[in-house]
């Protein structure tokens, strides 16, 4: 790759990646491989191993052994922190490289990918602090004859299934916290975006993570993914992806060993804009919230709920902003909106744009497919004349499609915001503190933004209310999810005998 020019280019030949077992990369050998084409360029960029059932079993066995031999879980928090900090350092030195492969497989703009990977460095640094500060509790209100101690124990082998929209960011919102808690991991990245998970495996080994603590299997969700869900030797599973597969995850756990689950699923997130907001800021925020990552974002602000008195003007302001955002080659530094990641997702989004019009909504801007001579792109679409029952207003599209619904009172805005099976994220835009705080208290969402959107950091937990998921990732809450509590009751001195 030529890092010196402004526009990088895809590799001349696809790069081969092995899967990752026992602290080393395993080449394909006689196994089948699959090729990933860059959605922004339409050329092959990576080749991955189609892991077999035996490979998955070997990865779980590797994680099991590394957990049971206590080479990781019995380290001091300080020693675990040292390795997490070294990982952060090594990752910082490889930001450009990780961002390059992320962009090639996912289609997101390179500048955005670089910022995401930079953010991941902070996840490892923060989790290092948590490894040192994680602690239990004690109860000395038990009289002089006893002491109660509560310890936080790792859960064991954690399966980690991640999607293609933020392959590295979603991984790093989980891995450092899982490791900080003393667990071992078998990761199964999305089949279309596995490269950066495999690069992280290399970095972790170089940082000194014991062999077998972090393993990666590549391949399809229906084969190796499903086997990971059902595996009797996996103690917990963290899944991020579609609601449909989320259901399969819950069923598999119930059918097998009741493994603990963490789920981050879909969203249909409201952006509530009041007439007293700074409308310039709000228009920029709403445009960013729907077009960032081409709307392929579980926390995209896809439902604009705006006070009627400003609805028409504000809709126009957002449409004008979006029309100015630069759609282009994801490897171009100046690109703001990149490619749609998969052919299937491209079809889904175009299907919804058609359906919206067929249902009677008015497309006021976007929706076309700019011809860049390569790759697949969609200009952000904005719909007015939307009713709450239309599919475009209810279903997660996972693309740059914004629906506008006007409201008259705050109560109505809150009830429209909550009129969804999901509860992942929401934003309010208002300069009235009472309005902003009342809405923030009453909207059902795991993440809430006031006068901003899609913001956060390693300290802040991530997760959903309602059908958007179970549990929380990141922050102190994230590491606690990957621990279990043991209570120890200690008797001091001579026992008072039951049988005299
Ligand atoms: O997701 P899948 P897809 C939503 C979004 C999108 C839709 C479909 O609406 O349009 O899901 O995307 C693995 N057992 N989100 O089809 O299939 C798969 O290999 C075990 C929301 O890509 O859920 C991948 O690693 N694993 C979302 C991961 O699950 C299985 C992010 C996600 O893929 C499996 C992505 C199985 N049976 C999509 N089937 C969010 N919340 O951010 C698939 N997988």
């Amino acid at each position: 790759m030529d890092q010196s020019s402004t526009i990088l280019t895809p590799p001349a030949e696809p790069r081969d990646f092995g899967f990752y077992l026992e602290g080393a990369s395993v080449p394909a050998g006689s196994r089948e491989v699959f090729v990933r084409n860059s959605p922004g360029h339409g050329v092959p960029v990576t080749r991955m191993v189609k892991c077999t059932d035996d490979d998955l079993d070997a990865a779980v066995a590797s994680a099991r052994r590394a957990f049971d031999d206590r080479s990781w879980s019995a380290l001091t928090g300080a020693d675990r922190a040292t390795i997490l900090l070294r990982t952060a350092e090594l990752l910082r030195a490889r930001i450009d490289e990780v961002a390059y492969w992320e962009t090639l497989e996912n289609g997101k703009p390179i500048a955005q990918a670089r910022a995401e990977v930079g953010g991941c460095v902070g996840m490892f640094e923060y989790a290092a602090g948590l490894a040192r500060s994680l602690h239990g509790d004690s109860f000395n209100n038990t009289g002089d004859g006893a002491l109660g101690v509560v310890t936080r124990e790792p859960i064991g082998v954690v399966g980690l299934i991640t999607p293609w929209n933020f392959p590295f960011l979603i991984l790093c919102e989980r891995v450092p916290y899982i490791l900080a808690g003393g667990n071992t991991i078998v990761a199964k990245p999305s089949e279309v975006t596995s490269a950066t998970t495999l690069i992280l495996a290399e970095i972790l080994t170089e940082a000194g993570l014991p062999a077998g603590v972090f393993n990666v299997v590549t391949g399809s969700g229906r084969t190796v993914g499903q086997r990971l869900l059902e595996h009797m030797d996996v103690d917990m599973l963290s899944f991020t992806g579609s609601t449909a597969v989320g259901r399969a995850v819950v069923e598999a756990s119930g059918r097998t060993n009741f493994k603990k689950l963490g789920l981050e699923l879909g969203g249909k997130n409201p952006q509530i804009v009041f007439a007293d907001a700074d409308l310039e800021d709000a228009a920029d925020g709403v445009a960013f919230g729907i077009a960032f990552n081409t709307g392929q974002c579980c926390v995209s602000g896809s439902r604009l709920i705006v006070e009627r008195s400003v609805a028409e003007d504000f809709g126009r302001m957002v449409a004008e902003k979006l029309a100015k955002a630069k759609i282009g080659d994801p490897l171009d530094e100046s690109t703001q909106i990149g490619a749609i990641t998969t052919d299937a997702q491209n079809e889904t989004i175009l299907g919804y744009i058609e359906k919206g019009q067929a249902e009677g909504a008015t497309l006021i801007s976007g929706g076309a497919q700019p011809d860049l001579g390569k790759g697949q792109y969609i200009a952000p679409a904005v719909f007015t004349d939307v009713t709450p029952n239309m599919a475009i207003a209810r279903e997660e599209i996972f693309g740059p499609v914004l629906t506008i619904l006007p409201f008259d009172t705050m109560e109505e805005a809150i009830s429209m915001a909550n009129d969804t099976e999901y509860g992942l994220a929401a934003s309010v835009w208002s300069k009235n503190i009472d309005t902003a705080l009342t809405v923030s208290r009453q909207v059902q969402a795991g993440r809430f933004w006031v006068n901003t959107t899609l913001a956060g950091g390693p300290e802040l937990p991530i997760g959903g209310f309602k059908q958007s998921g179970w549990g929380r990732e990141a922050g102190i809450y994230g590491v606690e999810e990957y621990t279990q509590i043991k209570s120890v009751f200690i008797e001091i001195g001579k026992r008072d005998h039951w049988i005299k």
Side-chain angles (χ1 to χ4, degrees):
M1 101 187 90
D2 173 10
Q3 295 258 359
S4 60
S5 60
T6 320
I7 303 188
L8 301 168
T9 50
E13 285 291 318
R15 174 172 164 188
D16 281 300
F17 283 85
F19 63 107
Y20 211 84
L21 201 64
E22 293 285 359
S25 177
V26 183
S30 57
R31 296 172 189 84
E32 281 181 60
V33 293
F34 56 99
V35 174
R36 171 67 176 152
N37 282 349
S38 159
H41 309 91
V43 297
V45 287
T46 54
R47 242 187 325 247
M48 298 288 160
V49 181
K50 228 180 227 179
C51 285
T52 62
D53 287 355
D54 286 349
D55 296 332
L56 187 272
D57 291 348
V60 174
S62 161
R64 181 88 261 158
R65 184 204 46 72
F67 184 74
D68 290 347
D69 73 12
R70 305 182 66 79
S71 58
W72 182 242
S73 65
L75 287 187
T76 63
D79 286 344
R80 282 208 288 272
T82 300
I83 290 172
L84 293 171
L85 286 174
R86 220 179 278 146
T87 304
E89 240 171 76
L90 293 168
L91 179 58
R92 187 178 281 113
R94 291 175 72 173
I95 288 176
D96 285 342
E97 178 199 350
V98 176
Y100 176 73
W101 292 103
E102 188 82 336
T103 285
L104 285 175
E105 289 197 329
N106 168 279
K108 66 180 67 202
I110 186 79
Q112 179 194 321
R114 209 178 288 118
E116 285 171 18
V117 180
C120 294
V121 172
M123 298 284 176
F124 279 94
E125 288 170 340
Y126 182 67
L130 292 178
R132 296 198 69 154
S133 59
L134 198 61
H135 62 87
D137 206 350
S138 69
F139 290 84
N140 62 344
N141 59 352
T142 42
D144 278 348
L147 183 65
V149 176
V150 178
T151 60
R152 258 189 196 284
E153 311 279 338
I155 291 185
V157 174
V158 177
L160 181 54
I161 297 181
T162 51
W164 44 258
N165 56 337
F166 291 95
F168 200 69
L169 182 66
I170 288 177
L171 182 76
C172 294
E173 285 168 345
R174 289 150 180 76
V175 167
Y177 301 90
I178 300 173
L179 293 179
N183 304 280
T184 62
I185 299 174
V186 177
K188 208 301 282 173
S190 162
E191 45 274 53
V192 293
T193 54
S194 304
T196 53
T197 303
L198 291 161
I199 296 175
L200 180 67
E202 255 173 52
I203 293 175
L204 286 165
T205 298
E206 198 184 333
L209 192 73
V213 176
F214 185 73
N215 309 274
V216 184
V217 287
T218 48
S220 91
R222 279 188 308 280
T223 54
V224 275
Q226 185 68 34
R227 196 170 175 89
L228 186 58
L229 302 184
E230 292 171 355
H231 211 291
M232 295 298 283
D233 239 358
V234 173
D235 303 301
M236 177 168 175
L237 198 122
S238 165
F239 171 79
T240 307
S242 62
T243 304
V245 178
R247 250 177 243 291
V249 173
V250 174
E251 280 162 16
S253 170
R255 248 196 342 265
T256 56
N257 60 346
F258 285 110
K259 50 181 71 63
K260 184 179 174 181
L261 300 177
L263 302 173
E264 191 181 339
L265 309 173
K268 189 73 181 172
N269 312 292
Q271 291 266 9
I272 308 167
V273 178
F274 285 83
D276 63 13
D278 178 327
L279 294 179
E280 296 283 336
D281 277 5
D284 188 70
V286 169
F288 173 69
I290 190 60
F292 178 70
N293 215 49
T294 52
Q296 299 176 120
C297 197
C298 52
V299 289
S300 283
S302 51
R303 289 188 297 144
L304 170 57
I305 298 172
V306 53
E307 196 161 350
R308 194 179 302 275
S309 59
V310 296
E312 204 176 320
D313 286 348
F314 187 75
R316 201 171 316 116
M317 286 166 73
V318 173
E320 279 165 13
K321 277 263 174 195
L322 286 170
K324 277 198 252 171
K326 185 175 169 203
I327 304 177
D329 180 341
L331 287 175
D332 182 335
E333 284 297 330
S334 63
T335 291
Q336 289 173 290
I337 299 178
I340 304 299
T341 305
T342 66
D343 298 349
Q345 194 59 34
N346 203 50
E347 289 310 307
T348 301
I349 299 167
L350 293 173
Y352 274 109
I353 293 172
E354 237 178 79
K355 193 166 189 179
Q357 291 167 289
E359 282 180 317
T362 308
L363 181 65
I364 61 163
S365 77
Q369 295 174 274
D371 181 8
L372 305 186
K374 57 191 174 182
Q376 53 201 11
Y377 299 85
I378 298 176
V382 181
F383 278 102
T384 56
D385 302 320
V386 177
T387 59
N389 290 330
M390 290 180 181
I392 54 167
R394 300 209 75 76
E395 295 168 18
E396 182 182 55
I397 298 174
F398 221 58
V401 181
L402 182 71
T403 57
I404 305 183
L405 285 159
F407 71 85
D408 292 301
T409 64
M410 178 168 68
E411 291 65 35
E412 196 192 351
I414 292 168
S415 120
M416 286 163 88
N418 288 336
D419 179 22
T420 167
E421 71 208 37
Y422 296 117
L424 203 54
S427 294
V428 67
W429 299 82
S430 168
K431 288 296 179 192
N432 181 320
I433 192 168
D434 290 339
T435 303
L437 290 181
T438 303
V439 175
S440 79
R441 298 291 306 273
Q442 294 188 26
V443 169
Q444 296 155 341
R447 296 174 80 182
F448 195 91
W449 294 290
V450 178
N451 292 325
T452 187
T453 196
L454 309 187
E459 296 81 0
L460 290 163
I462 297 165
F465 282 23
K466 303 201 282 189
Q467 292 186 37
S468 289
W470 288 351
R472 291 295 176 270
E473 306 286 354
I476 179 78
Y477 312 92
V479 76
E480 286 178 354
E481 290 282 342
Y482 294 100
T483 63
Q484 52 193 338
I485 296 288
K486 180 186 279 178
S487 80
V488 182
F489 191 85
I490 304 159
E491 194 155 303
I492 301 167
K494 184 77 185 138
R495 178 176 173 80
D496 179 10
H497 285 209
W498 183 52
I499 302 170
K500 307 277 182 197

